[in-house]
Amino acid sequence: MDEFDLIHSITPRTIHHSSVDVGIGDDAALYTAKHGVQEIVCVDTMVEDVHFKLLYSSPEDIGYKALAVNISDIAAMGGIPKFYLVSIAVPPKWTQSEIKAMYEGMNELAKLYHMDLIGGDTVSISDKLVVTVTVIGEVEKGRACLRSLARPNDIVFVTGEIGSSAAGLSLLLEKTHSQTSAIDTDYFIHRHKRPEPRVSVGRLCSSFKRAALNDISDGLASELNEIAEASCVSIEIDESMLPVHSHLSKLHPIWKEWALFGGEDFELTGTVSKSNWEVLKQECETRQLPITKIGHVREKTESNVILKTDNGSRILEKKGYNHFK
Amino acid sequence: MDEFDLIHSITPRTIHHSSVDVGIGDDAALYTAKHGVQEIVCVDTMVEDVHFKLLYSSPEDIGYKALAVNISDIAAMGGIPKFYLVSIAVPPKWTQSEIKAMYEGMNELAKLYHMDLIGGDTVSISDKLVVTVTVIGEVEKGRACLRSLARPNDIVFVTGEIGSSAAGLSLLLEKTHSQTSAIDTDYFIHRHKRPEPRVSVGRLCSSFKRAALNDISDGLASELNEIAEASCVSIEIDESMLPVHSHLSKLHPIWKEWALFGGEDFELTGTVSKSNWEVLKQECETRQLPITKIGHVREKTESNVILKTDNGSRILEKKGYNHFK
């Protein structure tokens, strides 16, 4: 693969942000930060056969998701994504057109958010493709939705539905088989491959004086544990209130585990005050953004996160979920 | 390896920049950009057995260099490095103490520049370690040293000496053997493993109204070609003026190729006006920063870069150098 040719083919023809002073083509990118905002920066790496397999995902899907998971981190800060940089280590078995298709998948999502590709690196590797995406965003000064901002009596919420991504992966790996054509298995698979970062909900939360937010990468239980720890509070959620797809329970008896520990849904979970919850719920309804109240924040007890069930209650540990095991 | 334990062990205890609002520990880092500056951002990936081998380099060396090459890009823009983020894909054969040592190598260099580690990601990979470093810096508005800023009659210069890194690698790979103990082979090897980014010289150049700069990652010939192309000029350099270590020519007959095409010296090469050159030379002398005039910028001709030799002249192509071949 000719690196110069690749760089030429992926270099954007247009730039959305006038604040980009120098994009791809010099030693580094240059941009001017706005006054009155804080810069947000995050980075995530995805590795072939650890985070994705070409057997299940197209290069476009892989590119899409590599950018989506980073945009989701910006959303979880209440921010607006602006720029991204892509560093890839490419093994010989990947063709140039597959690499271009991966960038196309990123570009598809970037266009939605008016994001500019402003830099990156391309190197060789012997075996597996590694893609690292850095995303830069911004949020109005003092309005970031930090994990440490949950307070007792806050309402705990989650966007969209949870467990669908884990269900999709399970279907892809053929650990789960749908018994009936009445279940739209493609839907779950799509949720795994093409998560939708919840930037709009993050932006609504950042309009409040205080909101705690996390995106669901490692599973609801893990994310709520992080909020509880950082805020020195306990969180109590109600199993019956967890938003899941109506077909989820029909797919596999493990469905509750998917919802609590599955991860990779890239929904947002967080807490706001009771009065802000009413505003948030209303605003989300108006914009047709699904959001569900799932519990309350309590004064700190011994347990960080408690799940109330029909039979009593259960402590939710910070355990993750190993997807390809 | 326990990711939480690793993150805890690498999370900095102190932060140099008061502009860091949130460092490691939330979904993303937050910082406030200064007024009157432009933000600079770059990313570079290094892959085990492509860019380094554990056989030759310690984990500290690898960490040091992964950060150094990015600081060098900031230097080549005339900027000040501020923050870095590290994303690593770790194979099972790397121990936790090796990973920590790699971060220590970065930290050693970061301390010199008062840089803060503000984020990153840690994932698994089956085979080779991959480390991707993102660096953020800043430069006074309008003062970045872009490749496109060379003008006819400018003086062309290079810092330090060139070819030493390629010589060091050749010694490491045992393609070159020193015939005499009078040659300090460790010096060349050190230059390969621990390049020193030329931030101070970049800063001096950014004080001028106009300076073109590139750092030497792919070799002097390649970097000057990039400046010539971006600036629509031709560059003429003089072989007899190229700064090389006095022992370089004794190591191997290929030494001129090392100097012109070897790369990885991470010195700076660039152009400034004649009057600015006098100032730059003086300032570098005062600060004991080695810098050498090597040629002139000319009106654009058919050839981008011409090397004048005793026997006439030769066109320098943009060819690179494949280190492990």
Side-chain angles (χ1 to χ4, degrees), chain A residues 22-287:
Chain A
V22 172
I24 291 172
D26 214 304
D27 298 291
L30 277 185
Y31 73 93
T32 304
K34 262 192 227 150
H35 193 62
V37 302
Q38 287 168 294
E39 302 301 298
I40 313 173
V41 55
C42 58
V43 61
D44 263 302
T45 292
M46 281 176 30
V47 178
E48 187 174 355
D49 292 346
V50 176
H51 300 90
F52 60 85
K53 287 179 194 280
L54 263 180
L55 187 64
Y56 308 129
S57 295
S58 70
E60 286 88 346
D61 289 337
I62 294 159
Y64 175 100
K65 192 161 176 179
L67 182 58
V69 302
N70 278 288
I71 295 177
S72 182
D73 279 324
I74 302 288
M77 297 298 271
I80 304 167
K82 295 187 300 180
F83 313 124
Y84 65 114
L85 299 92
V86 181
S87 212
I88 44 168
V90 186
K93 65 175 184 253
W94 278 64
T95 66
Q96 185 149 349
S97 71
E98 284 173 324
I99 296 294
K100 282 185 192 173
M102 195 184 65
Y103 278 88
E104 258 317 300
M106 288 191 235
N107 188 39
E108 202 183 305
L109 186 61
K111 273 192 294 189
L112 277 182
Y113 292 102
H114 305 287
M115 292 174 71
D116 294 310
L117 175 63
I118 61 169
D121 193 18
T122 310
V123 299
S124 303
I125 193 167
S126 55
D127 198 17
K128 309 290 185 192
L129 186 114
V130 179
V131 51
T132 300
V133 178
T134 305
V135 166
I136 297 172
E138 68 186 18
V139 64
E140 295 77 4
K141 195 149 183 60
R143 285 303 169 88
C145 302
L146 308 181
R147 292 176 185 171
S148 55
L149 294 176
R151 297 291 175 264
N153 302 315
D154 274 3
I155 302 295
V156 182
F157 63 84
V158 67
T159 63
E161 58 187 42
I162 51 179
S164 299
S165 172
L169 180 61
S170 189
L171 287 162
L172 274 176
L173 297 179
E174 300 188 335
K175 290 184 185 175
T176 299
H177 300 271
S178 175
Q179 307 301 322
T180 154
S181 63
I183 295 178
D184 185 2
T185 53
D186 284 351
Y187 169 82
F188 293 105
I189 290 170
H190 186 79
R191 285 297 309 266
H192 177 70
K193 290 184 183 172
R194 299 248 173 177
E196 284 178 35
R198 293 290 189 182
V199 175
S200 304
V201 178
R203 294 300 294 152
L204 287 171
C205 291
S206 75
S207 71
F208 302 134
K209 207 168 154 189
R210 174 183 67 72
L213 271 188
N214 240 355
D215 70 319
I216 302 180
S217 51
D218 295 329
L220 181 70
S222 178
E223 311 305 338
L224 290 179
N225 266 282
E226 286 184 344
I227 291 174
E229 277 172 22
S231 299
C232 291
V233 295
S234 286
I235 287 175
E236 201 176 273
I237 60 171
D238 196 323
E239 193 181 64
S240 67
M241 293 164 97
L242 298 179
V244 294
H245 190 277
S246 58
H247 292 175
L248 194 73
S249 63
K250 295 174 191 151
L251 270 174
H252 199 289
I254 207 180
W255 68 276
K256 282 183 192 169
E257 294 292 298
W258 286 340
L260 292 167
F261 304 104
E264 297 224 0
D265 285 310
F266 297 102
E267 297 292 346
L268 295 179
T269 186
T271 87
V272 289
S273 71
K274 278 180 182 165
S275 58
N276 284 342
W277 167 247
E278 295 305 322
V279 179
L280 180 61
K281 195 175 62 172
Q282 188 59 52
E283 290 283 350
C284 284
E285 216 162 272
T286 309
R287 294 158 203 230

Side-chain angles (χ1 to χ4, degrees), chain A residues 21 31-32 38-39 45 87, chain B residues 21 31 38-39 45 87 141:
Chain A
D21 305 309
Y31 73 93
T32 304
Q38 287 168 294
E39 302 301 298
T45 292
S87 212
Chain B
D21 305 309
Y31 73 93
Q38 287 167 294
E39 303 300 297
T45 293
S87 213
K141 196 151 182 59

Side-chain angles (χ1 to χ4, degrees), chain B residues 129-318:
Chain B
L129 185 114
V130 179
V131 51
T132 300
V133 178
T134 304
V135 168
I136 296 172
E138 68 186 17
V139 64
E140 294 78 5
K141 196 151 182 59
R143 284 303 169 86
C145 303
L146 308 180
R147 293 176 183 170
S148 56
L149 294 177
R151 297 291 175 265
N153 302 315
D154 274 2
I155 303 295
V156 182
F157 63 84
V158 67
T159 62
E161 57 187 41
I162 50 178
S164 299
S165 172
L169 181 61
S170 189
L171 286 161
L172 275 176
L173 297 179
E174 299 189 338
K175 289 183 186 175
T176 299
H177 300 272
S178 175
Q179 306 301 323
T180 155
S181 63
I183 296 179
D184 184 3
T185 53
D186 284 352
Y187 169 82
F188 293 105
I189 289 169
H190 187 79
R191 286 297 309 267
H192 176 70
K193 290 184 184 173
R194 299 248 172 176
E196 284 178 34
R198 293 290 188 182
V199 175
S200 304
V201 178
R203 293 300 293 151
L204 287 172
C205 290
S206 74
S207 71
F208 303 134
K209 209 168 153 187
R210 173 183 68 74
L213 271 188
N214 241 354
D215 70 320
I216 302 181
S217 50
D218 295 330
L220 182 69
S222 177
E223 311 305 339
L224 290 180
N225 265 282
E226 287 184 342
I227 291 175
E229 277 171 22
S231 299
C232 292
V233 295
S234 287
I235 287 174
E236 201 176 273
I237 60 170
D238 195 321
E239 192 181 63
S240 67
M241 295 163 94
L242 297 179
V244 293
H245 190 278
S246 59
H247 291 175
L248 193 74
S249 63
K250 294 172 191 153
L251 270 175
H252 199 290
I254 207 181
W255 68 275
K256 282 184 191 170
E257 295 292 298
W258 285 342
L260 293 167
F261 305 105
E264 297 223 1
D265 285 310
F266 297 103
E267 298 291 348
L268 294 180
T269 186
T271 88
V272 289
S273 70
K274 279 181 182 166
S275 58
N276 284 341
W277 167 247
E278 293 306 322
V279 179
L280 181 60
K281 194 174 62 172
Q282 189 59 55
E283 292 281 352
C284 284
E285 217 162 274
T286 309
R287 294 159 202 232
Q288 296 185 291
L289 299 165
I291 193 165
T292 310
K293 171 181 165 176
I294 58 169
H296 293 89
V297 180
R298 306 294 186 199
E299 295 285 350
K300 186 165 177 48
T301 63
E302 270 182 26
S303 315
N304 283 330
V305 184
I306 297 147
L307 179 75
K308 289 198 293 177
T309 63
D310 289 346
N311 314 320
S313 69
R314 150 186 183 199
I315 294 165
L316 292 183
E317 304 287 354
K318 201 179 179 169

